[in-house]
Amino acid sequence: MEKIGFIGLGIMGQPMALNLCKAGYSLWVYARRAEMMQSLIAAGATPCNSAQSVAEQTDIIFTMVADTPDVEQVILGEKGIIHGATAGKLVIDMSTIAASTTRMIAAKLAEQQIHLLDAPVSGGERGAIDGTLSIMVGGKVEQFERALSLLHVLGKNIVHIGDHGAGQIAKSCNQVVISQTLTAVGEALILAKAAGVDPANVRQALLGGFAYSRILELHGQRMLDHDFTPGFKIKLHQKDLRIVMQIAHELGIALPGIALTTQYFNTLVGAGQGELDSAALILAQEQLSAISLITDKKDTYTRKI
Amino acid sequence: MEKIGFIGLGIMGQPMALNLCKAGYSLWVYARRAEMMQSLIAAGATPCNSAQSVAEQTDIIFTMVADTPDVEQVILGEKGIIHGATAGKLVIDMSTIAASTTRMIAAKLAEQQIHLLDAPVSGGERGAIDGTLSIMVGGKVEQFERALSLLHVLGKNIVHIGDHGAGQIAKSCNQVVISQTLTAVGEALILAKAAGVDPANVRQALLGGFAYSRILELHGQRMLDHDFTPGFKIKLHQKDLRIVMQIAHELGIALPGIALTTQYFNTLVGAGQGELDSAALILAQEQLSAISLITDKKDTYTRKI
């Protein structure tokens, strides 16, 4: 059985690494904040003092960190994976980052015959804990097959999309759909409320027809309840949309719908709401129309969020 | 068994009226274009020469016509329902029109103790033929209950939303969600294509996660295939969005997402594509970014649609 490394033990990485331990794999782990390794050590994992050290002792190394510079750091930086890995080893980056960076890293690693898969996920903390993430994978198909039994420990809907970076592109497409559907559902609920019709009845009616989406079902209910326990945090959602806007800029294409939704996320982070669940998008929409789903008054233009 | 009237036998009304015939109800019908009554006469319905005449001979009168002025005409106009109906009769308007007009008509009919339900539908021609429409109903609950067995012949997901006009508001909310989800799915497919990733693979991956919607499943595939056989026509979709924008204006609320989507429908109708299915929204998005889902070339700014 191949030895497994896991680097990055935050809100997503920690439950994912724990699921690999529970499935019987031997894990070597590293987190820049050493205290994040405690629960993994308790579960039998071996702590390391650098990403390089993890790579020296394992065959397949997962990375799950916050943003593009973090991935560059743990793979290519000082004491990074590239200095510990040898030919034939496989790096699986499950972070959500820019596809262009993924392709650059893949090329650097390939110079030393180290393989890379980009494998960003959808499903949030709940999906990480339950092992039910959607995983969108880019890279060589033989490496995808090599990784598949491991990925099945972490997720349920695992699709090989294409070559290096294709997983990241699919993740961006995923966020384009999810975020804009949040905007759509929020506008429908605002319209119902403003027109004096029960938004909960409207959601119920729409669930049974062509308007059905998982976002209407799950986040629509959270919007009605103003239940913004994450879930998936506004500030991470904003980061993902920054990547989408960056890709659109690089490719020279127009995505006006998601550009609009990005503005809502900007204002929410600006109003100090970055730690709330994405369903809190409704707060920005309520602010815009000076209306609330959970009170009967039409507010004046005070800063409510 | 109550005698049933049906006024308006177009692409939606004709199959709906036929389903009522097949279910064993006695129908009296009227269409402004007399030739539209032929298939109903063949099915045993009695043709009438005015809406007034239909109302004189029946207890419950359905209307299914194109737009707000048409509903006003067949209910309140010369030889309209109001001149034939008597106290206790029920009018069920299944057209999609402005909620403010619905409330005005309800008040006029109530002066003569004639009841009204607004019961707009979602599901398109296919849903009308199969009797699987979603039906969103506004009006008094006792009239809703009176109509329920009839509505069950026409649809599957039948919800009483609230008082007069609430069905129309729910239908507007439905269009806010559906139309904007079309925009979102189209942008995701455009992004994948522009980035050199197979849009069909991306759709497949997204179907398994939080991005799932019926629009991604059905219209996403139509977009990939450029299969624009209606379905639900662009020109009717545009009409529904005009009603949404009118309500937002009346209520003094901002719905920037659906306002953006409305612009796409405007350009499609302007380009002569009003008879295509709503999935043809992708044509406007392809035009905007000079890219096509079904060819490999990045086009120049020629007018393609």
Side-chain angles (χ1 to χ4, degrees):
Chain A
M1 190 183 269
E2 293 186 293
K3 290 183 280 184
I4 308 301
F6 208 106
I7 295 163
L9 299 169
I11 194 170
M12 295 294 288
Q14 189 150 148
M16 292 164 73
L18 281 169
N19 281 339
L20 289 167
C21 281
K22 285 180 204 153
Y25 290 95
S26 299
L27 254 68
W28 281 254
V29 299
Y30 171 67
R32 282 169 294 180
R33 289 170 294 162
E35 70 275 17
M36 303 304 282
M37 292 192 277
Q38 289 308 323
S39 64
L40 269 299
I41 293 167
T46 306
C48 300
N49 58 14
S50 69
Q52 176 179 341
S53 171
V54 170
E56 282 165 355
Q57 300 174 71
T58 57
D59 307 301
I60 297 181
I61 307 109
F62 287 92
T63 54
M64 187 58 163
V65 294
D67 205 348
T68 309
D70 307 295
V71 173
E72 287 193 70
Q73 173 63 32
V74 300
I75 298 181
L76 303 180
E78 194 185 342
K79 296 198 175 175
I81 290 169
I82 198 167
H83 307 297
T86 48
K89 294 194 179 186
L90 168 63
V91 179
I92 306 177
D93 178 34
M94 306 195 76
S95 322
T96 295
I97 67 169
S100 52
T101 302
T102 294
R103 289 169 183 150
M104 178 274 287
I105 293 173
K108 292 259 190 195
L109 292 174
E111 290 171 7
Q112 302 187 24
Q113 287 81 52
I114 305 164
H115 306 290
L116 179 71
L117 293 174
D118 50 303
V121 305
S122 174
E125 186 182 3
R126 190 74 257 162
I129 293 169
D130 296 344
T132 58
L133 295 165
S134 285
I135 309 178
M136 295 151 270
V137 187
K140 302 297 174 213
V141 70
E142 59 272 20
Q143 296 302 321
F144 172 72
E145 285 164 3
R146 175 181 175 186
L148 204 48
S149 59
L150 286 164
L151 295 178
H152 275 301
V153 174
L154 304 174
K156 283 224 177 318
N157 180 47
I158 301 159
V159 182
H160 183 251
I161 309 285
D163 209 344
H164 296 301
Q168 296 296 349
I169 295 295
K171 175 67 184 283
S172 281
C173 294
N174 188 67
Q175 299 306 65
V176 164
V177 171
I178 284 177
S179 317
Q180 225 168 145
T181 309
L182 282 169
T183 302
V185 168
E187 288 192 359
L189 299 178
I190 293 276
L191 171 55
K193 178 77 180 192
V197 170
D198 184 352
N201 281 359
V202 168
R203 172 181 162 279
Q204 197 57 47
L206 269 52
L207 282 176
F210 275 126
Y212 177 83
S213 65
R214 292 207 63 197
I215 295 293
L216 176 64
E217 186 168 12
L218 300 172
H219 299 75
Q221 189 60 49
R222 289 180 198 168
M223 287 175 171
L224 289 171
D225 298 336
H226 271 212
D227 171 11
F228 304 133
T229 315
F232 186 67
K233 291 181 180 178
I234 290 278
K235 69 177 184 183
L236 290 172
H237 210 128
Q238 186 203 26
K239 185 264 293 185
D240 289 359
L241 295 182
R242 190 196 71 226
I243 291 169
V244 169
M245 290 292 91
Q246 181 185 333
I247 297 170
H249 180 100
E250 288 171 7
L251 295 173
I253 57 170
L255 304 176
I258 195 62
L260 170 65
T261 292
T262 301
Q263 306 310 305
Y264 284 126
F265 282 97
N266 287 350
T267 70
L268 286 160
V269 171
Q273 305 300 327
E275 298 295 323
L276 300 183
D277 182 72
S278 295
L281 178 71
I282 193 71
L283 292 176
Q285 297 175 307
E286 291 180 342
Q287 177 76 10
L288 181 62
S289 288
I291 198 167
S292 169
L293 292 186
I294 58 167
T295 70
D296 280 335
K297 70 183 165 77
K298 174 119 174 135
D299 207 334
T300 49
Y301 287 96
T302 51
R303 189 80 177 171
K304 287 189 304 176
I305 54 175
Chain B
M1 191 182 267
E2 294 187 295
K3 290 184 281 185
I4 308 302
F6 209 106
I7 296 163
L9 299 170
I11 193 171
M12 295 293 288
Q14 187 150 151
M16 291 164 73
L18 281 170
N19 281 339
L20 289 167
C21 282
K22 285 182 204 154
Y25 290 96
S26 299
L27 254 68
W28 281 254
V29 299
Y30 171 66
R32 283 169 294 180
R33 289 171 294 163
E35 70 275 17
M36 302 305 281
M37 294 192 276
Q38 289 308 322
S39 64
L40 269 298
I41 294 168
T46 306
C48 301
N49 59 14
S50 70
Q52 177 179 339
S53 171
V54 170
E56 283 164 355
Q57 300 174 72
T58 56
D59 307 301
I60 298 180
I61 306 108
F62 287 92
T63 55
M64 188 56 165
V65 294
D67 205 348
T68 308
D70 307 295
V71 174
E72 287 193 70
Q73 172 65 32
V74 298
I75 297 181
L76 303 180
E78 193 185 344
K79 296 199 175 176
I81 290 171
I82 198 166
H83 306 297
T86 49
K89 294 194 178 186
L90 169 62
V91 180
I92 305 177
D93 177 35
M94 306 195 76
S95 322
T96 294
I97 67 168
S100 52
T101 302
T102 293
R103 289 171 183 148
M104 179 273 286
I105 293 173
K108 292 258 192 199
L109 292 174
E111 290 171 7
Q112 302 188 24
Q113 286 82 51
I114 304 164
H115 306 290
L116 178 72
L117 293 174
D118 50 302
V121 305
S122 173
E125 185 182 5
R126 191 73 256 161
I129 293 169
D130 296 343
T132 57
L133 295 165
S134 286
I135 310 178
M136 294 151 271
V137 187
K140 302 297 174 212
V141 70
E142 59 271 20
Q143 296 302 322
F144 173 72
E145 285 164 3
R146 176 181 175 186
L148 204 48
S149 60
L150 286 164
L151 296 178
H152 274 301
V153 173
L154 304 174
K156 282 222 177 324
N157 179 46
I158 300 159
V159 182
H160 182 251
I161 309 286
D163 208 346
H164 296 302
Q168 295 296 350
I169 295 294
K171 176 66 185 284
S172 281
C173 294
N174 188 67
Q175 299 306 64
V176 164
V177 171
I178 284 177
S179 317
Q180 225 168 144
T181 309
L182 281 168
T183 303
V185 168
E187 288 192 358
L189 299 178
I190 293 276
L191 171 55
K193 178 76 179 193
V197 171
D198 185 351
N201 281 359
V202 168
R203 172 181 163 278
Q204 197 57 47
L206 268 51
L207 282 175
F210 276 125
Y212 177 84
S213 65
R214 292 205 63 197
I215 295 292
L216 177 64
E217 186 169 11
L218 299 171
H219 299 75
Q221 189 60 49
R222 290 181 198 166
M223 287 175 171
L224 289 171
D225 298 337
H226 272 212
D227 171 10
F228 303 133
T229 315
F232 186 67
K233 290 181 181 177
I234 290 278
K235 68 177 184 183
L236 291 172
H237 210 129
Q238 186 202 27
K239 186 265 292 183
D240 289 358
L241 295 182
R242 190 196 71 227
I243 290 170
V244 169
M245 291 291 91
Q246 181 186 334
I247 297 170
H249 181 99
E250 289 170 7
L251 295 173
I253 58 171
L255 304 176
I258 194 62
L260 170 65
T261 292
T262 301
Q263 307 310 305
Y264 284 125
F265 282 96
N266 287 350
T267 69
L268 287 160
V269 172
Q273 306 299 327
E275 299 294 323
L276 299 184
D277 183 72
S278 295
L281 179 70
I282 193 70
L283 291 176
Q285 296 176 307
E286 291 179 342
Q287 177 77 12
L288 181 62
S289 288
I291 198 167
S292 168
L293 292 186
I294 57 167
T295 70
D296 280 335
K297 70 183 162 74
K298 174 121 176 134
D299 207 334
T300 48
Y301 288 96
T302 51
R303 189 80 177 171
K304 287 190 303 176
I305 54 176

